[in-house]
C-alpha cells in the first residue's frame, strides 16, 4: 500500500429508511438513495420527503453522508417538476446530488448553487477530458463508466485535478448496455430504463431465429430451448482492493438500490473490513481474503466477474443457462428494540420456527449461531412459527442480539 493513496469512501445503496440505517451501521461511509421522482429506480420503494429527512439525520448523527439520485435523462415535461424537486431537496439537506443530464445539472445549479454534484455513470464518462469538462462546470465527482479498465482510470487520475473525485462501481449487477443506457425495456414493455422504469429484459430467456426461417429456432451454445444471452455475471472486486486504490479511485460504489437489508449488510460489512484491513496492513488484507470471499458469497449473486477492470470481458462473463441468483442465506429480519424482558423485536421477512438454529449477523464481522427459544406475537401470544411476511414478532434467543443486528438462516 502506498502512503499517498487516499482511503476510499465506501458508498452503499439503500431502497428505504430501514436499509439506509442498516448500511450506516454495517460500515458505509455514505449512502445513495432515490426520492419519489427523477431517479433511475422507479420500481424501488424509494424515499418520501419525511423518510429522506430522517435518513439524513440518522446518517449525519453517525458521521456519514447521504447522496440523492436525480439521474434520469430528462424530457421537457420533467423540467418544471425537477426545479421544484431541487428546491425541496435544498430544505432537506443531502450531502450531494447524483445527476447525468446537463439540463438537470443546470437546474440544480440554479436552485441550489452551493450543492455538491456528482455526475452519474449514465453520463458516459470514459475519458479525462470529460472529467475536466464536468470539473469546469462545478462538479465535484464523476462516476466512471463501467466499461473502463483500471489502466484507463489510472490515466484519468493522472490528468484531472487532485481535488476531483473518481467514483467507480466495485460490486453488484452489471447492465448489458453501454453505461446503463438501455432501450430493450422501452421496446418490449414501453417502460423506459432511462426514465427509471427498467423491467430487466436482459435477464429474460431468448432464442435466435433467422428471418427467412420463421418458427425455426437456432441453437445458441447448443441449447435448443433458448439462452440467456444478455445475462451478465455480477461484478465483484473484493479480491482487488489494492489495485482499485492504486488506480486512484476515491469512492467504491456498490450497486443494488433494490436489494434487501441482508444484501446491503453483507456487502457493506465485507468491503468495510477489506478496506480497513488493507489500510492497516496489506499482509493482513491478503491473509483475510478467504473470509471476504466466504462472506460476500452469502448474499444473493449471479456468479462473479471482474467486469472491464482487467480488459474487455470474454464470454465467461455471461451466464447462458439460467437467470437465477445464488442464494445461500435466507433473510429473517432486523433486530429492533429490545424489551425489558429480553425479547427482541423484529419485522419478520421469511418463515422460521421455534427451535430453529439461526445466525445473528453483527456489524463487527461476527456471525453468532443461536437457537430460537420463543416467538411471541404483538398480542403476547406465543406461536410456534412465523409464516407471514412483515409480521411484528418478539424473539427469545439463546444468544442476546443487539439493535440493528441481522437475523438470517442458511438456505437448505
Amino acid at each position: 500500500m502506498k502512503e499517498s493513496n487516499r482511503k476510499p469512501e465506501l458508498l452503499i445503496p439503500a431502497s428505504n429508511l430501514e436499509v439506509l440505517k442498516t448500511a450506516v451501521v454495517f460500515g458505509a461511509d455514505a449512502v445513495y438513495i432515490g426520492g419519489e421522482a427523477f431517479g433511475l429506480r422507479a420500481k424501488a420503494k424509494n424515499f418520501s420527503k419525511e423518510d429522506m429527512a430522517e435518513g439524513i439525520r440518522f446518517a449525519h448523527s453517525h458521521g456519514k453522508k447521504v447522496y440523492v439520485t436525480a439521474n434520469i435523462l430528462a424530457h421537457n415535461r420533467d423540467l418544471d417538476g425537477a426545479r421544484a424537486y431541487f428546491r425541496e431537496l435544498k430544505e432537506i439537506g443531502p450531502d450531494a446530488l447524483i445527476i447525468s443530464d446537463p439540463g438537470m445539472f443546470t437546474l440544480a445549479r440554479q436552485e441550489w448553487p452551493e450543492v455538491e454534484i456528482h455526475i452519474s455513470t449514465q453520463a458516459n464518462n470514459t475519458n479525462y477530458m470529460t472529467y475536466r469538462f464536468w470539473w469546469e462546470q462545478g462538479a465535484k465527482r464523476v462516476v466512471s463508466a463501467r466499461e473502463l479498465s483500471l489502466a484507463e482510470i489510472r490515466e484519468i487520475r493522472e490528468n484531472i485535478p487532485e481535488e476531483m473525485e473518481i467514483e467507480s462501481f466495485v460490486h453488484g449487477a452489471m447492465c448489458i448496455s453501454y453505461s446503463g443506457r438501455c432501450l430493450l425495456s422501452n421496446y418490449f414493455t414501453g417502460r423506459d430504463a432511462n426514465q427509471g422504469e427498467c423491467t430487466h429484459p436482459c435477464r429474460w430467456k431468448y432464442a435466435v431465429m433467422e428471418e427467412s426461417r420463421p418458427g425455426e429456432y437456432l441453437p445458441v451454445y447448443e441449447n435448443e430451448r433458448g439462452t440467456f444471452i444478455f445475462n451478465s455475471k455480477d461484478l465483484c472486486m473484493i479480491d482487488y482492493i489494492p489495485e482499485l486504490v492504486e488506480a486512484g479511485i476515491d469512492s467504491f460504489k456498490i450497486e443494488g438500490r433494490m436489494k434487501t437489508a441482508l444484501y446491503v449488510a453483507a456487502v457493506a460489512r465485507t468491503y468495510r473490513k477489506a478496506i480497513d484491513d488493507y489500510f492497516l496492513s496489506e499482509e493482513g488484507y491478503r491473509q483475510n481474503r478467504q473470509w471476504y470471499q466466504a462472506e460476500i458469497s452469502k448474499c444473493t449473486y449471479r456468479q462473479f466477474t471482474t467486469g472491464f477492470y482487467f480488459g474487455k470481458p470474454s464470454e465467461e462473463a455471461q451466464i447462458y443457462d439460467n437467470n437465477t441468483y445464488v442464494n445461500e442465506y435466507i433473510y429473517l429480519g432486523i433486530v429492533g428494540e429490545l424489551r425489558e424482558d429480553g425479547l427482541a423485536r423484529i419485522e419478520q421477512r421469511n418463515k422460521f420456527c421455534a427451535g430453529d438454529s439461526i445466525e445473528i449477523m453483527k456489524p463487527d464481522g461476527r456471525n453468532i449461531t443461536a437457537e430460537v427459544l420463543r416467538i411471541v406475537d404483538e398480542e403476547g401470544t406465543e406461536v410456534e412459527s412465523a409464516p407471514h411476511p412483515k409480521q411484528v414478532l418478539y424473539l427469545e434467543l439463546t444468544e442476546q442480539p443487539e439493535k440493528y443486528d441481522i437475523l438470517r438462516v442458511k438456505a437448505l
Side-chain angles (χ1 to χ4, degrees), residues 6-10 141 157 162 164-168 248-252:
R6 295 179 281 200
K7 191 172 187 178
E9 168 189 87
L10 179 58
R141 176 186 297 186
R157 176 78 273 166
E162 185 179 353
M164 189 179 193
E165 296 174 353
I166 298 174
E167 178 180 305
S168 300
I249 298 171
D250 298 282
S251 180
F252 290 1

Side-chain angles (χ1 to χ4, degrees), residues 16-34:
N16 58 48
L17 185 58
E18 179 183 67
V19 177
L20 181 150
K21 292 180 178 180
T22 299
V24 168
V25 170
F26 276 77
D29 294 307
V31 182
Y32 66 102
I33 66 176

Side-chain angles (χ1 to χ4, degrees), residues 100 102 105 119 123 125 130-139 142:
S100 61
F105 182 97
I119 304 303
N125 310 304
T130 295
Y131 275 68
R132 288 183 187 176
F133 168 82
W134 284 115
W135 176 259
E136 289 167 2
Q137 305 311 306
V142 171

Side-chain angles (χ1 to χ4, degrees), residues 81-220:
R83 187 182 292 279
Y85 184 56
F86 291 137
R87 287 198 292 266
E88 186 176 278
L89 288 178
K90 183 178 180 179
E91 296 175 9
I92 300 172
D95 297 278
L97 303 177
I98 304 172
I99 290 174
S100 61
D101 185 286
M104 295 284 281
F105 182 97
T106 301
L107 288 179
R109 271 276 172 262
Q110 290 174 353
E111 298 300 327
W112 191 0
E114 66 275 18
V115 68
E116 185 173 303
I117 296 182
H118 302 168
I119 304 303
S120 169
T121 188
Q122 294 282 128
N124 208 54
N125 310 304
T126 56
N127 63 77
Y128 60 77
M129 290 302 293
T130 295
Y131 275 68
R132 288 183 187 176
F133 168 82
W134 284 115
W135 176 259
E136 289 167 2
Q137 305 311 306
K140 170 71 172 177
R141 176 186 297 186
V142 171
V143 186
S144 62
R146 295 179 193 239
E147 294 77 21
L148 293 184
S149 66
L150 285 174
E152 289 176 293
I153 293 173
R154 193 176 300 112
E155 187 175 1
I156 289 172
R157 176 78 273 166
E158 293 167 354
N159 286 278
I160 62 174
E162 185 179 353
E163 315 87 75
M164 189 179 193
E165 296 174 353
I166 298 174
E167 178 180 305
S168 300
F169 283 96
V170 301
H171 193 92
M174 299 275 286
C175 182
I176 57 96
S177 290
Y178 203 87
S179 290
R181 295 176 304 167
C182 186
L183 298 176
L184 284 177
S185 180
N186 201 355
Y187 180 78
F188 285 124
T189 70
R191 296 185 177 183
D192 191 348
N194 303 312
Q195 292 283 303
E197 298 179 333
C198 185
T199 54
H200 302 285
C202 54
R203 311 299 183 196
W204 299 352
K205 194 169 188 176
Y206 292 90
V208 175
M209 185 175 67
E210 199 272 325
E211 182 181 16
S212 65
R213 305 174 189 177
E216 182 179 340
Y217 296 98
L218 305 177
V220 180

